[in-house]
Amino acid sequence: MPLSVRFGEFLLDTDRRQLLRAGAPRPLTPRAFKLLELLVERRPKAVSKAEIHDRLWPRTFVSEGNIARLMFEVREALGDDAGEPRYLRTLRGFGYAFAGASRAPEAFSEHTTSGVAHRLFWGELRATLQQGDNVLGRGPEATVWVEAPSVSRRHAVIQVDGASATLADAGSKNGTKVDGRDGRTPQPLRDGDEIRLGSERIVYRLVSTTVTTRTSTGRRR
């Protein structure tokens, strides 16, 4: 069954056989891709080395070193650190497990209420917020993943309630500000507000999703 799963700034699309990071393809050999697919498919359960062997090399003898080399390749593609893993955990003597918080692509689609969408712009990247709590940070549980040295793993939370949004700092190390206002006190967001997560600048926009069709005479319908 094809998978299409987002985690952090990555998208794993098994139908197209692609791993994308912020929209750009990350190279993986076919077996390394199949290993990542297996771990994501079985999340959050751990997968034994025996099962990995049977899936990747059916009826073929290979050493455990082959699995270790594939794991290294997958971690390289994800920028993951075996010592402090964000996505892939090693269970010594058993196997591996996918540890990243994952979401179906629908969680990144156009969440709208009353004809509006709540969006964040960070450089060339854009995220559409969902109703409820949206965690901003560089940890695997983040709804909006901001990979920057001055950003904490769980830096701030934006709560979306209908057409309203409120931001609050989540105990970050370098602080949160909204147009210069201290985010330790919950701050209501207005269209065009500048959010500072540490030294990173993010712009909040409240966008109308109501489309008006014009006739050839220029009149609206």
Side-chain angles (χ1 to χ4, degrees):
M1 179 179 179
L3 290 173
S4 187
V5 177
R6 285 189 185 272
F7 50 98
E9 63 177 0
F10 291 95
L11 170 64
L12 177 68
D13 188 337
T14 63
D15 198 26
R16 297 183 180 181
R17 310 301 297 172
Q18 283 187 315
L19 174 67
L20 304 175
R21 180 176 185 176
R26 300 292 292 168
L28 278 176
T29 60
R31 276 206 173 94
F33 187 94
K34 198 169 185 177
L35 173 57
L36 177 58
E37 178 183 1
L38 172 62
L39 295 175
V40 172
E41 175 188 304
R42 292 291 306 279
R43 68 193 188 282
K45 295 180 179 179
V47 182
S48 69
K49 292 179 183 178
E51 183 177 351
I52 293 172
H53 178 279
D54 290 344
R55 177 74 72 92
L56 271 59
W57 295 278
R59 298 179 299 278
T60 304
F61 174 79
V62 296
S63 69
E64 286 191 4
N66 286 276
I67 298 176
R69 281 190 288 273
L70 287 182
M71 282 299 300
F72 179 80
E73 181 184 344
V74 174
R75 284 195 169 109
E76 283 282 294
L78 297 176
D80 208 28
D81 185 344
E84 296 183 9
R86 288 182 298 165
Y87 303 120
L88 302 172
R89 289 190 300 118
T90 300
L91 289 84
R92 297 194 181 280
F94 181 79
Y96 304 93
F98 181 79
S102 57
R103 300 175 295 279
E106 287 74 16
F108 282 74
S109 62
E110 299 299 320
H111 297 277
T112 64
T113 300
S114 303
V116 298
H118 302 265
R119 292 180 182 154
L120 297 180
F121 293 83
W122 178 43
E124 296 181 355
L125 300 179
R126 182 186 77 177
T128 301
L129 303 178
Q130 57 191 335
Q131 291 292 310
D133 289 347
N134 297 264
V135 176
L136 280 62
R138 56 183 180 87
E141 75 276 18
T143 309
V144 179
W145 199 64
V146 184
E147 178 61 25
S150 65
V151 175
S152 299
R153 291 173 63 83
R154 182 182 174 90
H155 198 107
V157 177
I158 296 178
Q159 185 180 60
V160 175
D161 182 7
S164 301
T166 304
L167 179 144
D169 186 79
S172 68
K173 181 178 179 180
N174 294 310
T176 305
K177 292 186 181 296
V178 178
D179 275 359
R181 305 187 303 274
D182 194 336
R184 286 177 294 182
T185 301
Q187 299 291 334
L189 293 174
R190 297 166 297 192
D191 181 40
D193 274 349
E194 179 183 281
I195 299 168
R196 287 278 181 175
L197 304 184
S199 61
E200 296 301 310
R201 176 181 179 272
I202 297 174
V203 176
Y204 166 78
R205 297 303 308 269
L206 183 62
V207 182
S208 172
T209 58
T210 302
V211 178
T212 302
T213 304
R214 293 176 180 269
T215 65
S216 59
T217 61
R219 294 179 182 176
R220 294 185 180 181
R221 289 184 178 178

